[in-house]
């Protein structure tokens, strides 16, 4: 990159994200509360003569070198995020997109539930939007990035990650209605507390297929509810008493999934109101409740995440914790009194190592 001409290079910093509350609600039409973080993907882009694009990543092997109109998928997973972005842009602006070179570096650990993939697709979209003057709005970029996940990588994700990354701001949570996509930023600077992630450094294979399964299960639960109450179009917005009226029509598994979604939606509303009242201890408690739901009703946790969350319950100064993101590995999110952060990190790290013979990497936000 040293010989790239700075004048013609575009540099994009595209963050990762955490989610304070509202897990697995985005594809159920619920509300979420994500926030961008300092860990980010950095992308350098420059135009190149012709119809070839070349993309290199410092995190992954195998450079990608392709013709713009070539839309077949690659065997190399990360390539497909880039191919997806380029192909979708070619559909929108075939005449404006020309050859380019991109170099990608990044500090977001992959598979940690911090949205490294949305960070890449959204960052690339912003970069190419600037490089070729495409005038694509942030909302459209979010939708394109989501389409790339659905159609080029096979992940039927919601819209939370893309919105958090494109619309989020430092120290502010994005209160996002995933159905209407209305959103507002909420200031959450915490003078006495700190968010800390513990990366379990595990990613269980089950994750991808289970995510798809949860999308299917919650759709099925909604359609059962709709057969009695057709006015409800999104599971997250169904009142709890109506779900209970449909209890007999669902098997235990579907009922548990739907119960989690509806309770989590209630928790989002509670957390938003507690944040505005600076009620952080009660908020911490809700994080624990959310984890309980994710683990026992939604069934997307794992022993390592359960251990990390349970451990903090006996640590003085930890207000609350829960697993974060899709699940089956990745990080827990912890709210800790600032003065207790160092001692908590030390204790959690040593106990986790003793129990699983694995490092758990703390990330201070
Ligand atoms: C992944 C998906 C998101 C969201 C979360 C769970 O990060 O990409 O769309 O569903 O899981 O909240």
């Amino acid at each position: 990159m040293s010989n790239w001409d700075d004048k013609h290079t575009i540099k994009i910093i595209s963050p990762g994200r955490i989610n304070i509350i509202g897990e697995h609600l985005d594809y159920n039409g619920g509300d979420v509360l994500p926030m961008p973080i300092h860990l980010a993907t950095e992308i350098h882009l420059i135009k190149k003569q012709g119809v070839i694009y070349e993309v290199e990543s410092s995190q992954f092997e195998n450079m990608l070198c392709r013709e713009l109109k070539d839309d077949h998928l690659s065997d190399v997973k990360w390539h497909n995020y880039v191919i997806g972005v380029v192909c979708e842009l070619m559909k929108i602006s075939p005449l404006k997109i020309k050859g380019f070179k991109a170099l990608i570096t990044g500090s977001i650990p992959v598979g940690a539930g911090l949205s490294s993939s949305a960070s890449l697709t959204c960052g690339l979209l912003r970069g190419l939007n600037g490089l070729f003057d495409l005038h694509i709005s942030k909302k459209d970029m979010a939708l394109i990035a989501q389409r790339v996940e659905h159609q080029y990588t096979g992940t039927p994700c919601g819209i939370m990650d893309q919105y958090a990354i494109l619309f989020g701001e430092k120290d502010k949570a994005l209160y996002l209605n995933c159905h209407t996509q209305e959103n507002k930023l909420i200031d959450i600077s915490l003078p006495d507390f700190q968010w800390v992630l513990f990366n379990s450094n595990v990613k269980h294979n089950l994750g991808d297929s289970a995510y798809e399964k949860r999308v299917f299960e919650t759709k099925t639960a909604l359609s059962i509810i709709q057969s009695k109450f057709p006015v409800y179009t999104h599971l997250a917005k169904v009142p709890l008493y109506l779900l209970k009226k449909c209890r007999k029509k669902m098997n235990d598994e579907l009922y548990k999934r739907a119960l989690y979604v509806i309770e989590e939606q209630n928790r989002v509303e509670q957390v938003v109101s507690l944040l505005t009242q600076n009620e952080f201890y009660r908020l911490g408690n809700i994080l624990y409740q959310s984890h309980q739901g994710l683990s026992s009703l939604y069934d997307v946790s794992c022993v390592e995440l359960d251990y990390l969350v349970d451990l903090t319950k006996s640590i003085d100064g930890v207000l609350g914790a829960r697993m974060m993101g899709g699940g089956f590995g990745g990080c827990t999110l912890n709210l800790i009194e600032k003065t207790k952060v160092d001692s908590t990190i030390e204790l959690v790290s040593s106990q986790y190592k003793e129990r699983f013979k694995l490092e758990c990497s703390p990330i201070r936000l």
Side-chain angles (χ1 to χ4, degrees):
M1 214 181 59
S2 51
N3 55 359
W4 285 26
D5 170 359
D6 271 356
K7 256 199 338 227
H8 299 105
T9 305
I10 285 196
K11 175 179 153 187
I12 299 287
I13 308 274
S14 182
R17 63 103 191 91
I18 58 163
N19 183 24
I20 295 171
I21 193 85
E23 218 60 88
H24 288 273
L25 289 194
D26 55 356
Y27 56 85
N28 284 304
D31 301 338
V32 294
L33 203 59
M35 186 164 86
I37 57 174
H38 64 282
L39 300 178
T41 308
E42 190 172 316
I43 306 175
H44 294 257
L45 291 140
I46 193 165
K47 286 185 186 171
K48 183 175 169 305
Q49 290 289 321
V51 291
I52 302 281
Y53 64 100
E54 284 175 17
V55 183
E56 213 175 327
S57 162
S58 65
Q59 268 177 311
F60 302 108
E61 292 187 343
N62 299 307
M63 176 166 151
L64 170 65
C65 180
R66 281 255 172 149
E67 250 194 55
L68 287 167
K69 62 176 192 315
D70 180 355
D71 63 357
H72 74 271
L73 292 180
S74 162
D75 294 336
V76 180
K77 193 172 174 203
W78 74 269
H79 285 179
N80 291 327
Y81 293 101
V82 180
I83 293 169
V85 166
V86 172
C87 290
E88 288 302 300
L89 290 180
M90 286 292 285
K91 286 183 198 162
I92 299 169
S93 282
L95 299 177
K96 283 190 163 181
I97 315 234
K98 303 277 185 309
F100 68 91
K101 265 185 172 186
L103 181 73
I104 302 167
T105 58
S107 54
I108 309 176
V110 173
L114 302 175
S115 262
S116 59
S117 63
S119 167
L120 169 62
T121 48
C122 293
L124 209 50
L125 280 161
R126 278 173 54 207
L128 293 170
N129 198 23
L131 197 66
F132 297 117
D133 282 325
L134 304 177
H135 303 288
I136 301 176
S137 69
K138 283 204 270 187
K139 179 173 178 171
D140 285 340
M141 283 194 263
L143 294 172
I144 297 169
Q146 185 191 32
R147 214 153 56 228
V148 169
E149 298 268 0
H150 288 197
Q151 295 175 8
Y152 297 80
T153 75
T155 310
C157 65
I159 196 71
M160 168 173 77
D161 304 346
Q162 295 75 10
Y163 258 78
I165 288 162
L166 290 164
F167 289 85
E169 285 179 22
K170 192 173 180 305
D171 292 332
K172 298 203 168 113
L174 187 76
Y175 186 23
L176 170 68
N177 174 325
C178 296
H179 163 47
T180 62
Q181 282 150 32
E182 276 171 272
N183 59 82
K184 70 171 183 200
L185 291 163
I186 299 184
D187 185 23
I188 55 158
S189 25
L190 310 172
D192 303 324
F193 309 101
Q194 189 169 6
W195 296 107
V196 175
L197 298 168
F198 287 115
N199 185 355
S200 65
N201 285 314
V202 295
K203 179 168 167 42
H204 295 286
N205 286 338
L206 203 60
D208 295 344
S209 58
Y211 189 91
E212 242 184 285
K213 198 163 170 238
R214 295 300 173 272
V215 173
F216 176 75
E217 288 167 340
T218 47
K219 263 196 191 138
T220 312
L222 175 64
S223 63
I224 293 173
I225 294 167
Q226 283 174 325
S227 66
K228 260 188 131 174
F229 306 104
V231 56
Y232 291 98
T233 49
H234 295 91
L235 183 58
K237 300 292 165 83
V238 172
L240 191 54
Y241 77 93
L242 287 189
L243 171 69
K244 290 188 172 158
K245 286 194 174 179
C246 300
R247 172 71 187 93
K248 287 206 181 91
K249 292 183 161 231
M250 288 181 202
N251 66 30
D252 287 352
E253 206 159 69
L254 285 191
Y255 181 73
K256 280 189 337 185
R257 308 298 187 240
L259 181 61
Y260 163 76
V261 168
I262 294 168
E263 288 184 343
E264 181 77 351
Q265 172 64 30
N266 284 331
R267 285 190 280 270
V268 177
E269 289 159 21
Q270 287 178 58
V271 164
V272 169
S273 108
L274 292 174
L275 273 172
T276 52
Q277 300 160 42
N278 292 341
E279 289 269 10
F280 298 114
Y281 288 89
R282 283 172 62 199
L283 189 158
N285 218 4
I286 296 180
L287 297 184
Y288 281 130
Q289 289 168 20
S290 171
H291 184 79
Q292 182 60 31
L294 285 158
S295 180
S296 62
L297 297 175
Y298 217 61
D299 215 359
V300 288
S301 187
C302 59
V303 279
E304 294 87 350
L305 293 172
D306 287 345
Y307 179 85
L308 282 171
V309 170
D310 282 346
L311 182 60
T312 63
K313 290 184 180 158
S314 56
I315 302 178
D316 183 34
V318 180
L319 281 68
R322 66 176 196 87
M323 58 145 280
M324 206 196 58
F328 299 98
C331 294
T332 61
L333 175 68
N334 302 261
L335 184 59
I336 308 178
E337 285 172 14
K338 267 193 180 149
T339 54
K340 302 284 172 49
V341 167
D342 288 340
S343 55
T344 304
I345 288 180
E346 206 172 299
L347 188 68
V348 171
S349 305
S350 70
Q351 302 262 29
Y352 186 76
K353 188 156 192 191
E354 200 179 312
R355 170 74 175 76
F356 294 104
K357 312 284 171 266
L358 257 180
E359 299 295 333
C360 88
S361 331
I363 302 168
R364 295 161 193 259
L365 301 174

